[in-house]
Coordinates of all heavy atoms in Angstrom, one line a residue:
Q959 N 147.5 107.9 72.8 CA 146.3 108.7 72.6 C 146.0 109.0 71.2 O 144.9 109.0 70.8 CB 146.5 109.9 73.4 CG 146.3 109.9 74.9 CD 146.4 111.2 75.5 OE1 147.2 112.0 75.3 NE2 145.5 111.4 76.6
P971 N 136.8 112.7 89.5 CA 137.4 113.3 90.7 C 138.3 112.5 91.3 O 138.2 111.1 91.2 CB 136.1 113.4 91.6 CG 135.1 112.4 91.0 CD 135.4 112.2 89.7
D976 N 139.4 117.4 93.4 CA 140.0 117.9 92.2 C 139.8 116.8 91.2 O 139.3 115.7 91.3 CB 141.6 117.9 92.5 CG 142.0 118.9 93.6 OD1 141.3 119.9 93.7 OD2 142.9 118.5 94.5
S1023 N 147.1 146.5 69.9 CA 147.8 147.1 68.7 C 146.7 147.7 67.9 O 146.7 148.9 67.4 CB 148.6 146.3 68.0 OG 149.1 146.9 66.9
G1032 N 134.0 153.1 65.9 CA 133.1 151.9 65.9 C 134.0 150.6 65.9 O 133.7 149.8 66.8
V1045 N 140.4 138.9 77.7 CA 141.1 139.1 79.0 C 140.5 138.3 80.2 O 141.1 137.6 80.9 CB 141.3 140.5 79.4 CG1 141.8 140.7 80.8 CG2 142.3 141.2 78.4
S1052 N 143.9 131.1 83.6 CA 145.2 131.1 84.4 C 145.0 130.7 85.7 O 145.8 129.9 86.4 CB 145.7 132.6 84.5 OG 144.9 133.5 85.1
L1055 N 144.6 126.8 85.6 CA 146.0 126.2 85.4 C 146.7 126.2 86.6 O 147.3 125.2 87.0 CB 146.7 126.9 84.3 CG 146.3 126.7 82.9 CD1 147.0 127.6 81.9 CD2 146.3 125.2 82.3
T1068 N 152.5 106.0 95.0 CA 153.0 105.1 95.9 C 154.5 104.6 95.6 O 155.3 104.5 96.5 CB 152.2 103.8 96.2 OG1 151.9 103.1 94.9 CG2 150.8 104.3 96.8
R1076 N 156.3 112.5 89.1 CA 155.4 113.6 89.5 C 156.1 114.9 89.8 O 155.8 115.9 89.4 CB 154.6 113.1 90.8 CG 153.5 114.2 91.3 CD 153.0 113.7 92.6 NE 154.0 113.6 93.7 CZ 153.8 113.2 94.9 NH1 152.4 112.9 95.1 NH2 154.6 113.2 95.8
V1090 N 154.9 131.8 80.6 CA 153.9 132.4 79.8 C 153.3 133.6 80.7 O 152.8 134.5 80.1 CB 152.8 131.4 79.4 CG1 153.3 130.5 78.5 CG2 152.2 130.7 80.6
P1122 N 156.6 169.4 81.9 CA 156.6 167.9 82.2 C 155.7 167.5 83.3 O 155.3 166.4 83.4 CB 158.2 167.8 82.5 CG 158.8 169.0 81.7 CD 157.8 170.0 81.7
T1141 N 141.0 169.6 81.5 CA 139.9 170.3 81.3 C 140.2 171.9 81.2 O 139.6 172.6 80.3 CB 138.8 170.2 82.4 OG1 138.5 168.7 82.6 CG2 137.6 171.0 82.2
Q1142 N 141.1 172.2 82.0 CA 141.5 173.7 82.0 C 142.2 174.0 80.7 O 142.0 175.1 80.0 CB 142.4 174.0 83.1 CG 141.8 174.0 84.5 CD 142.9 174.1 85.7 OE1 144.0 174.1 85.4 NE2 142.2 174.3 86.9
R1149 N 141.8 175.1 69.3 CA 141.5 174.0 68.4 C 140.5 173.2 69.1 O 140.8 172.0 69.5 CB 142.8 173.3 68.1 CG 144.0 174.0 67.6 CD 145.3 173.4 67.7 NE 145.4 172.2 66.8 CZ 146.5 171.4 66.8 NH1 147.6 171.7 67.7 NH2 146.6 170.4 66.0
S1153 N 140.5 169.3 70.0 CA 140.7 169.1 71.3 C 139.6 168.2 72.0 O 140.1 167.4 73.0 CB 140.8 170.5 72.1 OG 141.8 171.3 71.6
E1159 N 139.5 160.6 73.6 CA 140.5 159.6 73.5 C 141.2 159.4 74.8 O 141.6 158.2 75.2 CB 141.4 159.8 72.3 CG 142.4 158.6 72.1 CD 143.1 158.6 70.8 OE1 142.8 159.5 69.9 OE2 143.9 157.7 70.7
Q1161 N 140.4 160.0 77.7 CA 139.5 159.3 78.7 C 139.4 157.8 78.5 O 139.5 157.0 79.4 CB 138.1 159.9 78.6 CG 137.9 161.3 79.3 CD 136.6 161.8 79.2 OE1 135.9 161.7 78.2 NE2 136.1 162.4 80.2
D1183 N 151.3 133.4 94.3 CA 150.6 132.1 94.6 C 151.5 130.9 94.2 O 151.7 130.0 94.9 CB 149.2 132.1 93.9 CG 148.2 132.9 94.5 OD1 148.4 133.5 95.6 OD2 147.2 133.2 93.8
T1209 N 167.0 102.7 111.3 CA 167.2 101.4 110.7 C 168.7 101.0 111.0 O 169.0 99.9 111.3 CB 167.1 101.4 109.2 OG1 165.7 101.8 108.9 CG2 167.3 100.0 108.6
A1210 N 169.6 102.0 110.8 CA 171.0 101.8 111.1 C 171.3 101.3 112.5 O 172.1 100.4 113.0 CB 171.9 103.0 110.7
E1221 N 176.0 88.7 118.1 CA 177.2 88.5 118.7 C 177.0 87.9 120.2 O 177.6 86.9 120.4 CB 178.0 89.8 118.8 CG 179.4 89.6 119.3 CD 180.3 88.7 118.4 OE1 180.0 88.7 117.2 OE2 181.1 88.0 119.0
R1228 N 178.8 79.7 122.3 CA 180.1 79.1 122.5 C 180.3 78.9 123.9 O 181.0 77.8 124.1 CB 181.0 80.4 122.1 CG 182.5 79.9 121.9 CD 183.4 81.1 121.5 NE 183.0 81.8 120.3 CZ 182.5 83.0 120.3 NH1 182.3 83.7 121.5 NH2 182.1 83.6 119.2
V1251 N 190.1 53.2 140.7 CA 189.9 52.7 142.1 C 189.3 51.3 142.2 O 189.9 50.6 143.0 CB 189.0 53.7 142.8 CG1 188.6 53.2 144.2 CG2 189.7 55.1 142.9

Side-chain angles (χ1 to χ4, degrees):
Q959 283 185 316
D976 299 320
S1023 179
V1045 167
S1052 65
L1055 288 172
T1068 55
R1076 180 185 65 183
V1090 295
T1141 303
Q1142 292 174 351
R1149 304 162 66 180
S1153 297
E1159 183 169 356
Q1161 288 180 315
D1183 293 343
T1209 302
E1221 186 62 30
R1228 192 181 306 113
V1251 170

